[in-house]
Amino acid sequence: MGSHCESSVKIPPIKFTKLFINGNFVDSISGKTFDTIDPRTGEVITKVSLGDREDVDLAVKAARHAFDYGPWPRMSGSERGRMMMKFADLIEENVEEIAALDAVNGGKLFTLCKAIDIPVAARTLRYYAGAADKIHGTVLKMSKGLQGYTLREPIGVVGSIIPWNFPTTMFFMKAAPALAAGCTLVVKPAEQTPLSALYYANLAKLAGIPDGVLNVVNGSGETAGAAISAHMDIDKVTFTGSTEVGRKIMAAAAASNLKPVSLELGGKSPLLIFDDADIDQAADIAFRGMFYNKGEICVASSRVYVQEGIYEKLVKKLIEKAKATVVGDPFDPQVNQGPQTDKKQFEKILSYIEHGKREGATLLTGGKHVGQKGYYIEPTIFTDVNEDMIITKEEIFGPVMSLMKFKTMEEAIKRANNTTYGLASGIITKNLNVANTVSRSIRAGVVWINCYTAFDADCPYGGYKMSGYGRDFGLEALNQYLQIKSVVTPIHDSPWH
């Protein structure tokens, strides 16, 4: 397992470090700042304004005024769409710089940010820009003497709390459909990765999006996040992150103004590999499904169930892949895996690895810190694992795979569903009947057959059980930001009913 630390990419100067409220970059009311850290070294990149309850109040006031009196919800859907298209163009013009921000702030691979994360943000904006003028109600066939129809109205001020693993993707997964619907937003990026969100706020202004429509408040979950969740003048909260924080957001929403909440929470996603699978393809899908983005991905295929006929062969392939993985500086194009996002997460992952060893799982490969500084961990694979172990039950959110063997399809389905989560799942088989039966039997929001992490703006995505509810992506995501209003009038002397 190699490690690289060479990089020829120059990190751009950090232009935006304040809060973005009502179309302007401003210091926090308290004047306080916090350090944002480079996970490659553990050193400070820059200081960023620390937003608190009072700053959230200001941002909500701006968003409320923009919604109640401003042009955004009152302009036509096609006009909103045009500005969103301009926003997407500006993102594409600045791909290199934004990719560098997510790489240095989140330890993400620069090449993948450039090729995937940032272009996907532009595509997501364009997808919802195209939907902005196609939000329709329905005409109702009511009983005699009444005419009715439904209106789909923007829900109002949206609070969006986003995580650190995909700072760009998550920003637009929430903001794009909300903007298309005519809502205004207060976005709280994760305290670990605020830099790209502030950059996007500036691009939104350059795209002509009116002041107050998109506000960004950096800060901690305990203060700024809690203030958004409990705010009496926010109409909707959307959150991606841990199940534990999701519960707190729901409780705060219930105790305040009963605002609706959408939650995309943790996962412990099963990947079922059947005997008839192509071994090379299966190993590739399983490995990428787990170790993509250094395992910091809520849909990670962290529970891999392999039918006994191919188990030994597949294990061998996965170990080879792990050992060939180059861990190191995410700006180095030779590197496959960068550092974990922060020290806390790094230490948590290492403690789960120790749990696995203590519980009697066999460590096949990996398990150790790489290098003298920074938050690097080797790709780690455990076998001799069962469903009662902590490493199988709890979301680790790092490069740790659990491998298990099964005999029959029925056993695989039962074990796959033996979890409190239900975010994603995968099936690798050439048998159409197996694929159909298993895909209908697994209790999860997405099932990938002979592929994994196959996301698309048109494909709704979200969880069952303790993985949350509501859907991001697809036209379904628009519904999270729209109210349905029924309008009924009497009809007198109609010639037909």
Side-chain angles (χ1 to χ4, degrees), residues 243-460:
T243 300
E244 170 201 3
V245 175
R247 287 180 194 276
K248 290 180 184 170
I249 289 170
M250 275 191 83
S256 53
N257 60 348
L258 272 174
K259 62 180 77 62
V261 174
S262 301
L263 303 172
E264 194 261 276
L265 306 175
K268 199 74 190 172
S269 299
L271 173 63
L272 280 51
I273 303 174
F274 289 85
D275 276 346
D276 64 343
D278 176 283
I279 299 274
D280 289 323
Q281 183 199 33
D284 193 46
I285 290 171
F287 194 83
R288 278 188 293 112
M290 179 60 245
F291 296 107
Y292 183 71
N293 201 52
K294 61 250 171 48
E296 291 175 352
I297 179 164
C298 38
V299 297
S301 54
S302 51
R303 294 186 297 139
V304 178
Y305 294 92
V306 186
Q307 205 162 12
E308 54 190 6
I310 58 166
Y311 183 82
E312 302 303 334
K313 281 184 193 164
L314 195 81
V315 167
K316 194 163 164 278
K317 291 268 183 204
L318 288 169
I319 293 170
E320 282 167 17
K321 282 182 176 294
K323 291 193 166 161
T325 297
V326 180
V327 179
D329 189 325
F331 285 95
D332 180 345
Q334 304 305 311
V335 162
N336 311 115
Q337 183 182 307
Q340 309 309 135
T341 295
D342 71 356
K343 189 166 192 266
K344 186 179 167 191
Q345 187 61 23
F346 167 76
E347 288 170 351
K348 184 179 165 192
I349 295 161
L350 289 175
S351 84
Y352 270 118
I353 291 168
E354 290 311 307
H355 266 300
K357 292 182 201 168
R358 274 203 302 278
E359 289 180 311
T362 302
L363 182 63
L364 289 180
T365 184
K368 293 194 290 295
H369 173 206
V370 178
Q372 298 307 305
K373 59 179 182 176
Y375 310 134
Y376 298 94
I377 297 176
E378 295 173 328
T380 301
I381 302 176
F382 280 105
T383 188
D384 301 319
V385 180
N386 65 53
E387 279 80 12
D388 296 323
M389 292 180 177
I390 285 173
I391 58 166
T392 324
K393 286 197 289 197
E394 295 183 13
E395 183 177 47
I396 296 172
F397 220 65
V400 183
M401 176 189 280
S402 291
L403 271 175
M404 289 162 277
K405 195 188 291 187
F406 71 89
K407 282 186 163 63
T408 66
M409 178 179 73
E410 292 71 24
E411 177 203 343
I413 290 166
K414 192 175 174 189
R415 291 174 71 186
N417 284 332
N418 184 12
T419 175
T420 56
Y421 292 116
L423 189 56
S425 58
I427 306 162
I428 305 179
T429 181
K430 295 189 178 93
N431 185 322
L432 187 60
N433 293 333
V434 168
N436 284 338
T437 300
V438 177
S439 59
R440 281 162 172 72
S441 304
I442 288 183
R443 305 269 303 144
V446 61
V447 181
W448 285 301
I449 300 171
N450 296 330
C451 58
Y452 208 83
T453 57
F455 291 103
D456 190 84
D458 197 45
C459 183

Side-chain angles (χ1 to χ4, degrees), residues 123-180:
R123 277 209 297 277
T124 303
L125 268 171
R126 290 193 182 108
Y127 176 87
Y128 288 106
D133 59 356
K134 300 168 190 71
I135 296 169
H136 302 293
T138 52
V139 176
L140 308 174
K141 186 71 175 166
M142 297 183 70
S143 54
K144 194 172 181 181
L146 295 171
Q147 172 180 285
Y149 60 91
T150 60
L151 293 171
R152 294 165 75 90
E153 301 184 342
I155 201 164
V157 176
V158 175
S160 173
I161 303 171
I162 56 175
W164 41 258
N165 59 330
F166 284 86
T168 288
T169 309
M170 296 295 170
F171 188 102
F172 289 100
M173 202 186 248
K174 315 289 190 189
L179 290 171

Side-chain angles (χ1 to χ4, degrees), residues 86-120:
K86 173 73 175 152
F87 193 178
D89 292 343
L90 289 170
I91 289 170
E92 285 184 340
E93 286 166 27
N94 293 279
V95 166
E96 195 96 7
E97 191 172 351
I98 305 167
L101 292 178
D102 276 355
V104 74
N105 210 184
K108 295 172 67 68
L109 296 184
F110 177 65
T111 50
L112 288 187
C113 288
K114 229 168 43 161
I116 300 173
D117 295 42
I118 317 305
V120 161

